[in-house]
Amino acid sequence: MINELYQKAFELDQKDELAPFREEFVNEPHTIYLDGNSLGKLPKKTIEQTNNLVANQWGKGLIRSWNDHWIDLPQKTAAKIAEIVGAQPDEIFVGDSTSLNLYKLAFAALHLNQQKKKIISDNLNFPTDLYILQGLIHQQFKDHSLSIIESQNGITVSEKQFEETIDNHTALVVLSHVVFKSAFMYDMAQINALAHQKDALVIWDLSHSVGAVPINLNESEADMAVGCTYKYLNGGPGAPAFLYVRRDLQKQLQSPVWAWFSHQAPFDFSLDYQPKDSIQRFAVGTPSVLSLAAIEAGLDITIETGIDRLRAKSQQQTEFLIELIQQLLVPIGFSIASPLDVNQRGSHISIRHPEGYRISQAMIKPNDGSKIIIPDFRPPDNIRLGIAPLYNTFTELVDSVERIWKIVTEEQFKSYSNERTVVT
């Protein structure tokens, strides 16, 4: 059976029209990387571009490079992200972290909708997003409440649950477009429509979907969104995040942080704050030039490839991976913790096993000379296998599942500690 699976993978790799893009990235030999949903690989052009920025723009140009190269860098980057997420360039701000951007937008939405006191999210959302909402309630909006919709299976949430929960008291709905554990993907347009029927606003966290699935913020009538650039967009560790605000909402929303770069004329150094009338009213401090510059190559590759082609390969690969899991891993105690419907999931597959942590450690740190396979682990027992269509091959998927099968059937995981590393 395994030989037949390898033959199928080989044939799929031979037909893969995105295969040449793999060479755009730094690829470590003897390593299979299935964690692009946490941190994308390094584009080779990023090395060239950042070296030029450091050696020439900073080293030689010094502060003159602000006018020559840097002051418009956030807007140029925003325009490229806008193309990927189906928005207008003047609806995207690039800077700060995802959490800070969510805080800014959630504050602005609750301040605008002060007469309504209900916030809605779900228990599949990324915990930090819930922390942000809890903090806002504790610190500024003490008469508000947070309603958490509970998934019935730990994988998905039904539209009916939102129909029953969103009401005339709802000010804000905050959800991950693709949830971080199971990869369940919401129908953005449907949720937006449900919220708008009750005059509620919606903020989407795009961190696990941007660069992996088509996102049409304008077409779906999205209000606001946040997202990171270091996962499928390959912007590098800690790369600046972005936020989206629909154009007609921008002047209605007030950022909680009044700061230098959101001022109408920052270099007039006026002592009185006057916010910009644009998306830049959500800026805070000096742009992180080194990190911003490192995003460009990954965005360019994504745009050149085209999100529809990326999605098509992603769906083909996740379907193939599920086939492998069902044939080889389910019979030895694994279960699939992602939607089986290809249209309801993003680009990673979660599998569960009571020994998930030690199995993942055996994959990452083999003691028998096997290939290094890098997934990630999410408690209590989830191994996430993240597929980045730009650089993952079908053969790598067979290699990875066969390796997991051996780790379990040969009980190799028993030689690894259950003591958790800081980053899993």
Side-chain angles (χ1 to χ4, degrees):
M1 178 174 64
I2 193 68
N3 289 335
E4 294 175 0
L5 293 171
Y6 270 113
Q7 180 61 35
K8 182 176 180 179
F10 174 79
E11 292 172 358
L12 289 169
D13 283 332
Q14 292 299 304
K15 297 175 183 177
D16 179 18
E17 62 179 11
L18 302 190
F21 287 100
R22 178 178 169 86
E23 298 309 311
E24 298 288 330
F25 296 88
V26 174
N27 295 299
E28 284 294 302
H30 206 60
T31 299
I32 296 174
Y33 191 64
L34 295 177
D35 207 6
N37 55 315
S38 283
L39 175 67
K41 279 191 174 185
L42 172 63
K44 293 176 181 177
K45 287 184 179 178
T46 299
I47 301 172
E48 174 187 336
Q49 290 170 342
T50 53
N51 283 346
N52 173 62
L53 188 148
V54 171
N56 296 317
Q57 295 178 20
W58 179 14
K60 297 177 182 178
L62 295 170
I63 201 167
R64 293 168 294 184
S65 289
W66 273 109
N67 284 320
D68 293 343
H69 301 286
W70 300 337
I71 196 65
D72 295 328
L73 186 56
Q75 288 75 28
K76 291 177 181 177
T77 307
K80 293 182 179 183
I81 292 174
E83 184 172 349
I84 294 169
V85 300
Q88 302 305 309
D90 62 358
E91 295 176 316
I92 300 289
F93 162 77
V94 184
D96 302 320
S97 67
T98 309
S99 296
L100 180 53
N101 285 333
L102 177 58
Y103 174 83
K104 289 185 285 189
L105 293 187
F107 176 96
L110 296 176
H111 186 268
L112 179 66
N113 255 352
Q114 289 187 62
Q115 75 282 6
K116 296 187 173 190
K117 310 299 182 184
K118 184 176 178 180
I119 307 168
I120 295 174
S121 189
D122 64 26
N123 69 334
L124 301 182
N125 205 349
F126 196 70
T128 294
D129 293 15
L130 300 181
Y131 305 159
I132 296 293
L133 299 175
Q134 291 164 6
L136 283 165
I137 292 171
H138 178 73
Q139 294 161 359
Q140 288 106 344
F141 300 92
K142 296 181 183 295
D143 55 351
H144 284 58
S145 64
L146 176 60
S147 296
I148 304 292
I149 295 177
E150 299 284 334
S151 168
Q152 301 301 307
N153 56 13
I155 298 175
T156 65
V157 179
S158 70
E159 182 183 338
K160 183 179 179 181
Q161 289 176 274
F162 284 92
E163 292 175 351
E164 295 171 347
T165 308
I166 299 173
D167 57 25
N168 291 325
H169 301 289
T170 304
L172 179 65
V173 179
V174 180
L175 297 169
S176 290
H177 183 212
V178 171
V179 305
F180 80 107
K181 270 191 184 178
S182 71
F184 168 62
M185 182 171 65
Y186 278 103
D187 186 321
M188 183 182 289
Q190 285 186 355
I191 298 297
N192 289 340
L194 285 174
H196 293 164
Q197 286 172 12
K198 303 298 182 179
D199 293 322
L201 295 169
V202 183
I203 300 176
W204 291 99
D205 186 336
L206 308 177
S207 295
H208 284 85
S209 58
V210 62
V213 304
I215 301 169
N216 295 303
L217 293 173
N218 286 165
E219 287 184 18
S220 69
E221 298 186 349
D223 303 313
M224 292 166 283
V226 297
C228 69
T229 60
Y230 52 76
K231 300 182 190 297
Y232 295 107
L233 295 180
N234 307 295
F242 65 92
L243 63 79
Y244 156 87
V245 179
R246 200 177 66 228
R247 186 180 292 157
D248 64 288
L249 270 179
Q250 290 174 15
K251 290 184 181 181
Q252 300 178 53
L253 298 177
Q254 175 179 293
S255 174
V257 185
W258 295 9
W260 186 19
F261 268 73
S262 63
H263 194 283
Q264 284 187 3
F267 288 94
D268 284 354
F269 298 102
S270 167
L271 299 185
D272 295 317
Y273 181 72
Q274 294 294 328
K276 288 183 178 175
D277 291 330
S278 68
I279 192 70
Q280 295 304 312
R281 63 172 45 204
F282 290 98
V284 179
T286 305
S288 302
V289 171
L290 291 174
S291 298
L292 271 170
I295 302 173
E296 184 177 11
L299 296 178
D300 288 343
I301 294 170
T302 301
I303 291 170
E304 181 184 356
T305 309
I307 196 65
D308 289 335
R309 290 203 297 168
L310 280 170
R311 177 61 171 164
K313 181 180 175 183
S314 168
Q315 289 183 314
Q316 192 177 22
Q317 287 188 302
T318 57
E319 287 284 85
F320 183 55
L321 180 55
I322 285 178
E323 177 187 344
L324 296 172
I325 293 166
Q326 288 174 329
Q327 291 193 38
L328 294 175
L329 300 186
V330 170
I332 60 171
F334 285 86
S335 62
I336 298 173
S338 293
L340 296 181
D341 183 347
V342 70
N343 296 309
Q344 278 196 334
R345 65 172 181 259
S347 198
H348 66 273
I349 300 295
S350 282
I351 55 176
R352 300 184 67 182
H353 189 281
E355 290 288 351
Y357 182 73
R358 291 203 288 179
I359 293 167
S360 68
Q361 290 303 297
M363 296 168 69
I364 296 167
K365 296 178 283 190
N367 53 22
D368 62 356
S370 298
K371 287 182 180 179
I372 296 168
I373 301 172
I374 303 177
D376 65 15
F377 173 82
R378 293 293 178 262
D381 54 8
N382 285 262
I383 300 173
R384 295 194 311 177
L385 305 174
I387 294 174
L390 283 169
Y391 48 75
N392 284 130
T393 68
F394 289 89
T395 302
E396 286 181 328
L397 302 181
V398 184
D399 285 340
S400 299
V401 172
E402 183 186 23
R403 173 70 183 140
I404 296 170
W405 181 85
K406 286 184 177 180
I407 289 170
V408 174
T409 57
E410 297 175 6
E411 298 187 333
Q412 295 178 20
F413 64 88
K414 290 186 175 180
S415 64
Y416 292 82
S417 172
N418 234 331
E419 183 177 349
R420 305 292 167 86
T421 56
V422 176
V423 179
T424 60

